[in-house]
Amino acid sequence: MTIELAHPSARLLSVGDSAWTVEFGNGIDPAIHGRVLGFSSLLDTLASDGRLDGVVEWVPTFRSVTVHFDPLRTDAMALHDLLAELAGRSGSVSAAGSRWHIPVCFDAACAPDLDDVAVAKGLARGEVVRLMTETVFTVYMLGFLPGFPYLGGLPEALDMPRLASPRKVVPSRSIAIAGRMCAAYPWESPGGWRLMGRTPVRLFDAANARRPALLAPGDQVVWEAIDLDAFDALERDCAAGRFDLSSLLKEGEAA
């Protein structure tokens, strides 16, 4: 079932008998994502006031929000009407999170594809690192793996296709690019994105019940270059629980 909403760029899609998806567009665009964040923020407010009874969770993406509900506790069409009304008045949020300054090692041992990208784009290695570290990336969504952030804002000069043959193993905490997107692998996994560096910072901690994923949609990320010795030292500190994640947030900097 597809139901057009009053706003010309939004529509409501039925996802089985226990979810609705509200779409705000069909591309990866800051304006569309702003509406996703605005809608999600409104849902947060209603949930905190106890006005979303039966709603289990909602999942924001680049261009939509899927709202999951318990059909035994909530009337699907009544929820549809509420979501349609909210989508029409939720507005846009340009940013809704924090700005993280995350250390990344761009040494060849941590960045096996960086030199190939530099050659393909006709850039010096240092110029590639400069473009990566001077860009303020925006977290659009989490997916693929727990805590895996998809970040927009990669400079056009670094636009590269995925690898023709994906790797069977990508080291955990690798920073990667594909197309005009950047991402970070919280876990060791297969992957076809080009590996540009690696952070010592844990991107997902299941023991942190309040916020297991470090990054959230609406957050901004600045990669800060460190050398291999600093990477090794920070990796030991993170593994031992000695690293203070709040140090990655610069005072007075909100996304």
Side-chain angles (χ1 to χ4, degrees):
M1 179 189 301
T2 300
I3 302 174
E4 297 294 335
L5 303 183
H7 192 287
S9 64
R11 62 178 184 161
L12 203 64
L13 306 172
S14 175
V15 186
D17 61 358
S18 61
W20 290 102
T21 291
V22 182
E23 286 190 344
F24 295 100
N26 57 8
I28 300 175
D29 178 87
I32 293 173
H33 194 242
R35 295 208 64 213
V36 168
L37 294 178
F39 184 73
S40 297
S41 178
L42 188 52
L43 293 178
D44 287 336
T45 299
L46 293 178
S48 66
D49 293 340
R51 296 165 59 191
L52 288 179
D53 184 52
V55 171
V56 178
E57 65 173 341
W58 49 95
V59 182
T61 69
F62 296 109
R63 59 191 183 89
S64 67
V65 179
T66 296
V67 180
H68 298 269
F69 62 92
D70 182 348
L72 299 179
R73 295 175 53 203
T74 300
D75 179 83
M77 292 312 299
L79 180 60
H80 152 262
D81 292 343
L82 174 62
L83 297 178
E85 186 265 330
L86 295 177
R89 67 178 175 88
S90 58
S92 177
V93 174
S94 59
S98 302
R99 179 176 293 185
W100 300 87
H101 293 254
I102 299 178
V104 174
C105 180
F106 295 98
D107 185 270
C110 296
D113 296 322
L114 196 152
D115 287 336
D116 289 343
V117 170
V119 171
K121 305 305 288 188
L123 299 171
R125 193 178 200 282
E127 179 68 5
V128 174
V129 174
R130 184 189 68 79
L131 289 170
M132 289 290 294
T133 55
E134 289 188 357
T135 298
V136 178
F137 293 93
T138 298
V139 180
Y140 277 107
M141 62 174 284
L142 304 181
F144 176 55
L145 297 168
F148 185 103
Y150 289 85
L151 304 106
L154 186 74
E156 186 176 359
L158 297 181
D159 186 340
M160 290 285 290
R162 298 184 185 211
L163 296 172
S165 298
R167 289 182 171 88
K168 293 182 179 179
V169 177
V170 171
S172 63
R173 295 173 277 108
S174 291
I175 309 305
I177 63 172
R180 294 293 301 279
M181 301 295 297
C182 185
Y185 288 78
W187 312 93
E188 180 181 290
S189 76
W193 292 40
R194 295 175 189 270
L195 306 186
M196 305 295 285
R198 194 166 178 235
T199 178
V201 176
R202 296 174 69 179
L203 300 169
F204 190 90
D205 181 4
N208 187 338
R210 186 182 67 84
R211 183 168 175 153
L214 177 65
L215 303 176
D219 283 357
Q220 293 182 343
V221 175
V222 177
W223 305 123
E224 295 193 341
I226 58 173
D227 62 25
L228 194 55
D229 288 340
F231 174 90
D232 290 338
L234 285 172
E235 187 176 43
R236 289 192 295 271
D237 287 343
C238 289
R242 295 191 298 265
F243 184 76
D244 181 8
L245 291 175
S246 66
S247 67
L248 304 177
L249 298 167
K250 300 295 178 70
E251 185 176 353
E253 276 195 354

